[in-house]
Amino acid sequence: MKVAIPADSKNPDSAVSLSFGRAPLFMIHDTETGSWESLENPAATAPGGAGVKAAQVLVDAGVSVVLAPRCGENAAEVLLAAGTDLHRTGKGSLAENLTAFEDGKLELLTDIHPGFHGH
Amino acid sequence: MLSGKGGTGKTMLAVNLAALEESGLYLDCDVEEPDGHLFFRPERPSVTPVEVPVPVVDTALCDGCQECVGFCRYHALAWTGKKVLVFPEICHSCGGCALVCPRKAIREEFRTVGQVEEGLSGNTRVISGILSPGEASGTPVIQALLARVAGKRDLIMDGPPGTGCMVAETLRAADYCLLVAEPTRYGAHNLEMVHQLVRAWNRPCGVVLNKVDSGDNPSLAYARSAGLAVLGAIPFDLELARLGAAGEIAVHRNETFRQTLLTIRGNMEKGVNS
C-alpha cells in the first residue's frame, strides 16, 4: 500500500507541507517495502486547477492513502472518486505522521475547504 | 476606468463621464459587483443570459485513454481510474478535449454563468454584465459585453478592480485607460501595479486623483516619478459622498463637480488623440 504526504523537502524527518495542491513534492511510503520515494508535484506552479492536477498525479502513482493537514474540494473529489483514503496529519514530521497513521491514530479528513482560487 | 484596488471611484467617474455625453454609452465590466445601474436605474432593461460550453463525457463510449485529461492545461478534467471527472468552474471552454477524444465520447453542453442587462436611462444607454454568484471567472461575461458593443467607438467602460484576467480582458478593448487613485501609500502601490499592466498593453493612460485632502498624496508622487499624466483631482468632499450614497449622478446636481469633470474629459481627449 502506498501512502502519500505533501512535503517541502525529501527528508522523512522534515515537516508536512501546509498545502496539498501547491506542495513542492509528495513523499510516498510503500508499507510493504518500508521505502520512501519522492514525487515532484507538477501542479505546484500551475496557473489553475492545482488541486485536481496534484490529486491526478497521486492517483496515477497508485497511492491509496493521502495524509495531509487540509485538502480543497476539487482535489478531494478526485481522490475520493478514485477510492483514496484521506487522513488528517497531526504534529510532527512525515515519518512521525506515518507511524501515527499505522497505529490508527490519524482520523479521516472530512472538513474539506472550498479551495483557494485566485482569479 | 481602472484602478489597482477597489473603492477608488471608478464607478463614480465612469457614471459621471458617461452622463456628460448627449447620448452616452456606459458599459459596466465590473461583473463581480456591477453597480453603475444603481445610479442610472435604466427602465425595464432587456436581460440576455451568458452561456459557456463545458464538456460532458459519455461514460459508455469512454475507454479511459485520458487524452482529454492530458490535453487540458487548466486541469479541468481528471481520471479516477474508473471515469473522467469534469470540473466546469475550472473549464475555459476551449473545446480541445472534445477534439482530441479518439472515441468521440465528449460533447459540449451550455451552462449559464451570468447575464447582460441593457436599458436606457434618459439619453444614456446602460449595459451591465452580471456574473452569477459562485462563479469563478467573469471573463466570459466581459466577452459577451464587448461583443455587444463591437464597432461602437465612443463609450465608457467601467472596469473591474485589480490587475487580474478580467482587467486585462477589459483594457485590451480600450483605446485609453483612465486610472483612478486614492491619496494613500496602499493606493499608490496599487496604482503602480495597474499602471504597469496598462503599459504592458501599450495603452495611453492618465490618472485622476480622487478623495484628495490637504495631506501627502503618495499617488501624486508616484505619477510624477513615473511620468504618468495627471488628468485632474477630485477633493475629499462630504457633498459628493452624500450624492453618491443617495444614488445621485453628481454632475446633474453639483456645478463645481461638473466643471471638474469637463476638465478631466478634455484632458482625457487630448490623451486619446495624442
Side-chain angles (χ1 to χ4, degrees), chain A residues 18-55:
Chain A
L18 287 177
S19 171
F20 174 78
R22 300 288 181 184
L25 57 102
F26 292 100
M27 287 298 285
I28 298 177
H29 179 80
D30 189 327
T31 54
E32 274 154 45
T33 62
S35 67
W36 287 93
E37 61 178 288
S38 69
L39 184 63
E40 233 179 89
N41 178 15
T45 55
V52 175
K53 177 67 175 173

mmCIF file of all heavy atoms in Angstrom, chain A residues 18-55:
data_model
loop_
_atom_site.group_PDB
_atom_site.id
_atom_site.type_symbol
_atom_site.label_atom_id
_atom_site.label_comp_id
_atom_site.label_asym_id
_atom_site.label_seq_id
_atom_site.Cartn_x
_atom_site.Cartn_y
_atom_site.Cartn_z
ATOM 1 N N LEU A 18 2.115 22.542 4.343
ATOM 2 C CA LEU A 18 0.792 23.056 4.744
ATOM 3 C C LEU A 18 -0.205 22.991 3.595
ATOM 4 O O LEU A 18 -1.409 23.017 3.787
ATOM 5 C CB LEU A 18 0.925 24.505 5.231
ATOM 6 C CG LEU A 18 1.586 24.657 6.614
ATOM 7 C CD1 LEU A 18 1.731 26.127 6.960
ATOM 8 C CD2 LEU A 18 0.773 23.929 7.672
ATOM 9 N N SER A 19 0.301 22.956 2.357
ATOM 10 C CA SER A 19 -0.585 22.949 1.193
ATOM 11 C C SER A 19 -0.621 21.562 0.561
ATOM 12 O O SER A 19 0.376 20.841 0.582
ATOM 13 C CB SER A 19 -0.091 23.972 0.162
ATOM 14 O OG SER A 19 -0.801 23.825 -1.043
ATOM 15 N N PHE A 20 -1.760 21.182 -0.001
ATOM 16 C CA PHE A 20 -1.812 19.927 -0.757
ATOM 17 C C PHE A 20 -1.488 20.197 -2.225
ATOM 18 O O PHE A 20 -0.477 19.755 -2.752
ATOM 19 C CB PHE A 20 -3.193 19.275 -0.612
ATOM 20 C CG PHE A 20 -3.343 18.061 -1.493
ATOM 21 C CD1 PHE A 20 -2.785 16.850 -1.138
ATOM 22 C CD2 PHE A 20 -4.020 18.154 -2.711
ATOM 23 C CE1 PHE A 20 -2.884 15.736 -1.972
ATOM 24 C CE2 PHE A 20 -4.131 17.048 -3.539
ATOM 25 C CZ PHE A 20 -3.559 15.843 -3.167
ATOM 26 N N GLY A 21 -2.344 21.002 -2.893
ATOM 27 C CA GLY A 21 -2.187 21.220 -4.332
ATOM 28 C C GLY A 21 -0.904 21.939 -4.701
ATOM 29 O O GLY A 21 -0.345 21.726 -5.767
ATOM 30 N N ARG A 22 -0.433 22.813 -3.801
ATOM 31 C CA ARG A 22 0.753 23.630 -4.097
ATOM 32 C C ARG A 22 2.008 23.126 -3.396
ATOM 33 O O ARG A 22 3.024 23.829 -3.373
ATOM 34 C CB ARG A 22 0.495 25.080 -3.688
ATOM 35 C CG ARG A 22 -0.675 25.731 -4.395
ATOM 36 C CD ARG A 22 -0.372 26.018 -5.843
ATOM 37 N NE ARG A 22 -1.492 26.675 -6.513
ATOM 38 C CZ ARG A 22 -1.496 26.967 -7.802
ATOM 39 N NH1 ARG A 22 -0.475 26.636 -8.559
ATOM 40 N NH2 ARG A 22 -2.544 27.553 -8.355
ATOM 41 N N ALA A 23 1.952 21.951 -2.769
ATOM 42 C CA ALA A 23 3.157 21.408 -2.126
ATOM 43 C C ALA A 23 4.237 21.182 -3.185
ATOM 44 O O ALA A 23 3.929 20.751 -4.297
ATOM 45 C CB ALA A 23 2.812 20.092 -1.433
ATOM 46 N N PRO A 24 5.499 21.466 -2.873
ATOM 47 C CA PRO A 24 6.570 21.272 -3.875
ATOM 48 C C PRO A 24 6.702 19.814 -4.295
ATOM 49 O O PRO A 24 7.000 19.518 -5.445
ATOM 50 C CB PRO A 24 7.840 21.741 -3.157
ATOM 51 C CG PRO A 24 7.384 22.505 -1.968
ATOM 52 C CD PRO A 24 6.003 22.027 -1.619
ATOM 53 N N LEU A 25 6.491 18.890 -3.345
ATOM 54 C CA LEU A 25 6.629 17.474 -3.689
ATOM 55 C C LEU A 25 5.783 16.616 -2.756
ATOM 56 O O LEU A 25 5.272 17.102 -1.727
ATOM 57 C CB LEU A 25 8.106 17.050 -3.625
ATOM 58 C CG LEU A 25 8.846 17.257 -2.313
ATOM 59 C CD1 LEU A 25 8.960 15.940 -1.563
ATOM 60 C CD2 LEU A 25 10.236 17.803 -2.597
ATOM 61 N N PHE A 26 5.637 15.361 -3.142
ATOM 62 C CA PHE A 26 4.967 14.387 -2.279
ATOM 63 C C PHE A 26 5.981 13.320 -1.898
ATOM 64 O O PHE A 26 6.767 12.872 -2.738
ATOM 65 C CB PHE A 26 3.778 13.745 -3.006
ATOM 66 C CG PHE A 26 2.662 14.706 -3.254
ATOM 67 C CD1 PHE A 26 2.499 15.292 -4.498
ATOM 68 C CD2 PHE A 26 1.787 15.054 -2.234
ATOM 69 C CE1 PHE A 26 1.478 16.202 -4.724
ATOM 70 C CE2 PHE A 26 0.762 15.962 -2.452
ATOM 71 C CZ PHE A 26 0.608 16.540 -3.698
ATOM 72 N N MET A 27 5.993 12.941 -0.624
ATOM 73 C CA MET A 27 6.807 11.811 -0.195
ATOM 74 C C MET A 27 5.866 10.611 -0.115
ATOM 75 O O MET A 27 4.812 10.671 0.522
ATOM 76 C CB MET A 27 7.459 12.095 1.161
ATOM 77 C CG MET A 27 8.603 13.095 1.064
ATOM 78 S SD MET A 27 9.961 12.513 0.011
ATOM 79 C CE MET A 27 10.725 11.303 1.108
ATOM 80 N N ILE A 28 6.255 9.531 -0.792
ATOM 81 C CA ILE A 28 5.394 8.356 -0.876
ATOM 82 C C ILE A 28 6.076 7.180 -0.173
ATOM 83 O O ILE A 28 7.225 6.830 -0.491
ATOM 84 C CB ILE A 28 5.086 8.015 -2.349
ATOM 85 C CG1 ILE A 28 4.343 9.194 -2.988
ATOM 86 C CG2 ILE A 28 4.259 6.738 -2.437
ATOM 87 C CD1 ILE A 28 4.053 9.014 -4.455
ATOM 88 N N HIS A 29 5.374 6.618 0.802
ATOM 89 C CA HIS A 29 5.902 5.497 1.570
ATOM 90 C C HIS A 29 5.201 4.215 1.126
ATOM 91 O O HIS A 29 3.977 4.159 1.059
ATOM 92 C CB HIS A 29 5.662 5.730 3.069
ATOM 93 C CG HIS A 29 6.151 4.604 3.925
ATOM 94 N ND1 HIS A 29 7.486 4.465 4.266
ATOM 95 C CD2 HIS A 29 5.505 3.551 4.489
ATOM 96 C CE1 HIS A 29 7.616 3.378 5.007
ATOM 97 N NE2 HIS A 29 6.428 2.808 5.155
ATOM 98 N N ASP A 30 5.999 3.187 0.818
ATOM 99 C CA ASP A 30 5.447 1.875 0.459
ATOM 100 C C ASP A 30 5.467 1.016 1.716
ATOM 101 O O ASP A 30 6.544 0.667 2.229
ATOM 102 C CB ASP A 30 6.306 1.252 -0.652
ATOM 103 C CG ASP A 30 5.655 -0.008 -1.203
ATOM 104 O OD1 ASP A 30 4.990 -0.719 -0.420
ATOM 105 O OD2 ASP A 30 5.807 -0.258 -2.414
ATOM 106 N N THR A 31 4.295 0.674 2.232
ATOM 107 C CA THR A 31 4.234 -0.050 3.514
ATOM 108 C C THR A 31 4.772 -1.480 3.396
ATOM 109 O O THR A 31 5.129 -2.081 4.402
ATOM 110 C CB THR A 31 2.789 -0.106 4.052
ATOM 111 O OG1 THR A 31 1.954 -0.649 3.031
ATOM 112 C CG2 THR A 31 2.293 1.277 4.437
ATOM 113 N N GLU A 32 4.826 -2.007 2.166
ATOM 114 C CA GLU A 32 5.332 -3.376 2.015
ATOM 115 C C GLU A 32 6.854 -3.434 2.074
ATOM 116 O O GLU A 32 7.433 -4.332 2.687
ATOM 117 C CB GLU A 32 4.818 -3.986 0.706
ATOM 118 C CG GLU A 32 3.433 -4.621 0.885
ATOM 119 C CD GLU A 32 2.643 -4.652 -0.406
ATOM 120 O OE1 GLU A 32 3.237 -5.027 -1.435
ATOM 121 O OE2 GLU A 32 1.450 -4.305 -0.376
ATOM 122 N N THR A 33 7.516 -2.450 1.425
ATOM 123 C CA THR A 33 8.981 -2.468 1.405
ATOM 124 C C THR A 33 9.569 -1.567 2.474
ATOM 125 O O THR A 33 10.764 -1.643 2.766
ATOM 126 C CB THR A 33 9.501 -1.982 0.041
ATOM 127 O OG1 THR A 33 9.077 -0.626 -0.144
ATOM 128 C CG2 THR A 33 8.942 -2.829 -1.099
ATOM 129 N N GLY A 34 8.739 -0.679 3.053
ATOM 130 C CA GLY A 34 9.234 0.255 4.060
ATOM 131 C C GLY A 34 10.044 1.399 3.474
ATOM 132 O O GLY A 34 10.670 2.165 4.201
ATOM 133 N N SER A 35 10.030 1.544 2.137
ATOM 134 C CA SER A 35 10.866 2.569 1.495
ATOM 135 C C SER A 35 10.098 3.871 1.289
ATOM 136 O O SER A 35 8.862 3.881 1.244
ATOM 137 C CB SER A 35 11.351 2.056 0.139
ATOM 138 O OG SER A 35 10.237 1.933 -0.731
ATOM 139 N N TRP A 36 10.851 4.969 1.197
ATOM 140 C CA TRP A 36 10.298 6.270 0.857
ATOM 141 C C TRP A 36 10.771 6.653 -0.541
ATOM 142 O O TRP A 36 11.920 6.424 -0.885
ATOM 143 C CB TRP A 36 10.809 7.365 1.804
ATOM 144 C CG TRP A 36 10.245 7.346 3.197
ATOM 145 C CD1 TRP A 36 10.769 6.725 4.285
ATOM 146 C CD2 TRP A 36 9.059 8.004 3.650
ATOM 147 N NE1 TRP A 36 9.999 6.947 5.402
ATOM 148 C CE2 TRP A 36 8.933 7.742 5.024
ATOM 149 C CE3 TRP A 36 8.070 8.787 3.036
ATOM 150 C CZ2 TRP A 36 7.883 8.226 5.802
ATOM 151 C CZ3 TRP A 36 7.031 9.279 3.810
ATOM 152 C CH2 TRP A 36 6.940 8.997 5.171
ATOM 153 N N GLU A 37 9.898 7.206 -1.317
ATOM 154 C CA GLU A 37 10.364 7.839 -2.560
ATOM 155 C C GLU A 37 9.680 9.187 -2.714
ATOM 156 O O GLU A 37 8.607 9.414 -2.154
ATOM 157 C CB GLU A 37 10.099 6.952 -3.782
ATOM 158 C CG GLU A 37 8.640 6.642 -4.026
ATOM 159 C CD GLU A 37 8.451 5.790 -5.284
ATOM 160 O OE1 GLU A 37 8.624 6.342 -6.374
ATOM 161 O OE2 GLU A 37 8.148 4.594 -5.148
ATOM 162 N N SER A 38 10.326 10.091 -3.457
ATOM 163 C CA SER A 38 9.746 11.421 -3.629
ATOM 164 C C SER A 38 9.162 11.556 -5.024
ATOM 165 O O SER A 38 9.623 10.922 -5.978
ATOM 166 C CB SER A 38 10.808 12.497 -3.404
ATOM 167 O OG SER A 38 11.746 12.468 -4.452
ATOM 168 N N LEU A 39 8.120 12.346 -5.114
ATOM 169 C CA LEU A 39 7.462 12.597 -6.391
ATOM 170 C C LEU A 39 7.263 14.103 -6.496
ATOM 171 O O LEU A 39 6.593 14.696 -5.648
ATOM 172 C CB LEU A 39 6.108 11.872 -6.414
ATOM 173 C CG LEU A 39 5.280 11.925 -7.694
ATOM 174 C CD1 LEU A 39 6.020 11.252 -8.844
ATOM 175 C CD2 LEU A 39 3.937 11.241 -7.471
ATOM 176 N N GLU A 40 7.867 14.715 -7.500
ATOM 177 C CA GLU A 40 7.700 16.149 -7.674
ATOM 178 C C GLU A 40 6.244 16.469 -8.001
ATOM 179 O O GLU A 40 5.596 15.710 -8.724
ATOM 180 C CB GLU A 40 8.599 16.656 -8.799
ATOM 181 C CG GLU A 40 9.474 17.821 -8.370
ATOM 182 C CD GLU A 40 10.367 18.286 -9.491
ATOM 183 O OE1 GLU A 40 9.900 19.159 -10.235
ATOM 184 O OE2 GLU A 40 11.483 17.761 -9.615
ATOM 185 N N ASN A 41 5.747 17.566 -7.484
ATOM 186 C CA ASN A 41 4.362 17.953 -7.764
ATOM 187 C C ASN A 41 4.324 18.926 -8.942
ATOM 188 O O ASN A 41 4.648 20.102 -8.773
ATOM 189 C CB ASN A 41 3.735 18.600 -6.523
ATOM 190 C CG ASN A 41 2.305 19.055 -6.784
ATOM 191 O OD1 ASN A 41 1.689 18.652 -7.777
ATOM 192 N ND2 ASN A 41 1.789 19.896 -5.896
ATOM 193 N N PRO A 42 3.917 18.470 -10.125
ATOM 194 C CA PRO A 42 3.918 19.363 -11.294
ATOM 195 C C PRO A 42 2.878 20.475 -11.168
ATOM 196 O O PRO A 42 2.909 21.442 -11.926
ATOM 197 C CB PRO A 42 3.582 18.426 -12.458
ATOM 198 C CG PRO A 42 2.847 17.286 -11.830
ATOM 199 C CD PRO A 42 3.387 17.134 -10.450
ATOM 200 N N ALA A 43 1.957 20.352 -10.199
ATOM 201 C CA ALA A 43 0.908 21.365 -10.035
ATOM 202 C C ALA A 43 1.357 22.512 -9.141
ATOM 203 O O ALA A 43 0.638 23.503 -9.013
ATOM 204 C CB ALA A 43 -0.350 20.730 -9.452
ATOM 205 N N ALA A 44 2.557 22.408 -8.541
ATOM 206 C CA ALA A 44 2.993 23.414 -7.563
ATOM 207 C C ALA A 44 2.955 24.824 -8.145
ATOM 208 O O ALA A 44 2.617 25.776 -7.461
ATOM 209 C CB ALA A 44 4.393 23.089 -7.063
ATOM 210 N N THR A 45 3.277 24.951 -9.420
ATOM 211 C CA THR A 45 3.302 26.288 -10.043
ATOM 212 C C THR A 45 2.254 26.421 -11.146
ATOM 213 O O THR A 45 2.336 27.326 -11.968
ATOM 214 C CB THR A 45 4.692 26.567 -10.646
ATOM 215 O OG1 THR A 45 5.008 25.506 -11.557
ATOM 216 C CG2 THR A 45 5.757 26.626 -9.570
ATOM 217 N N ALA A 46 1.258 25.523 -11.179
ATOM 218 C CA ALA A 46 0.224 25.598 -12.218
ATOM 219 C C ALA A 46 -0.595 26.874 -12.048
ATOM 220 O O ALA A 46 -0.868 27.284 -10.931
ATOM 221 C CB ALA A 46 -0.701 24.382 -12.132
ATOM 222 N N PRO A 47 -0.979 27.535 -13.149
ATOM 223 C CA PRO A 47 -1.779 28.756 -13.023
ATOM 224 C C PRO A 47 -3.163 28.496 -12.436
ATOM 225 O O PRO A 47 -3.744 29.373 -11.818
ATOM 226 C CB PRO A 47 -1.875 29.283 -14.459
ATOM 227 C CG PRO A 47 -1.513 28.140 -15.339
ATOM 228 C CD PRO A 47 -0.641 27.232 -14.536
ATOM 229 N N GLY A 48 -3.696 27.305 -12.618
ATOM 230 C CA GLY A 48 -5.006 27.000 -12.053
ATOM 231 C C GLY A 48 -5.221 25.499 -12.019
ATOM 232 O O GLY A 48 -4.461 24.737 -12.636
ATOM 233 N N GLY A 49 -6.230 25.062 -11.288
ATOM 234 C CA GLY A 49 -6.557 23.639 -11.246
ATOM 235 C C GLY A 49 -5.498 22.804 -10.548
ATOM 236 O O GLY A 49 -5.351 21.615 -10.808
ATOM 237 N N ALA A 50 -4.742 23.421 -9.615
ATOM 238 C CA ALA A 50 -3.620 22.723 -8.974
ATOM 239 C C ALA A 50 -4.093 21.517 -8.163
ATOM 240 O O ALA A 50 -3.463 20.459 -8.196
ATOM 241 C CB ALA A 50 -2.839 23.688 -8.085
ATOM 242 N N GLY A 51 -5.205 21.683 -7.449
ATOM 243 C CA GLY A 51 -5.700 20.581 -6.627
ATOM 244 C C GLY A 51 -6.043 19.356 -7.458
ATOM 245 O O GLY A 51 -5.690 18.224 -7.117
ATOM 246 N N VAL A 52 -6.723 19.589 -8.574
ATOM 247 C CA VAL A 52 -7.115 18.488 -9.468
ATOM 248 C C VAL A 52 -5.875 17.787 -10.009
ATOM 249 O O VAL A 52 -5.777 16.560 -9.998
ATOM 250 C CB VAL A 52 -7.979 19.014 -10.645
ATOM 251 C CG1 VAL A 52 -8.271 17.905 -11.632
ATOM 252 C CG2 VAL A 52 -9.282 19.612 -10.117
ATOM 253 N N LYS A 53 -4.898 18.591 -10.465
ATOM 254 C CA LYS A 53 -3.693 18.022 -11.072
ATOM 255 C C LYS A 53 -2.874 17.224 -10.060
ATOM 256 O O LYS A 53 -2.416 16.108 -10.337
ATOM 257 C CB LYS A 53 -2.843 19.155 -11.673
ATOM 258 C CG LYS A 53 -1.526 18.720 -12.269
ATOM 259 C CD LYS A 53 -1.719 17.867 -13.516
ATOM 260 C CE LYS A 53 -0.370 17.535 -14.161
ATOM 261 N NZ LYS A 53 -0.566 16.564 -15.261
ATOM 262 N N ALA A 54 -2.702 17.795 -8.860
ATOM 263 C CA ALA A 54 -1.920 17.112 -7.823
ATOM 264 C C ALA A 54 -2.580 15.792 -7.451
ATOM 265 O O ALA A 54 -1.910 14.759 -7.305
ATOM 266 C CB ALA A 54 -1.776 18.010 -6.591
ATOM 267 N N ALA A 55 -3.902 15.792 -7.326
ATOM 268 C CA ALA A 55 -4.630 14.569 -6.996
ATOM 269 C C ALA A 55 -4.461 13.543 -8.111
ATOM 270 O O ALA A 55 -4.266 12.344 -7.861
ATOM 271 C CB ALA A 55 -6.111 14.889 -6.770
#
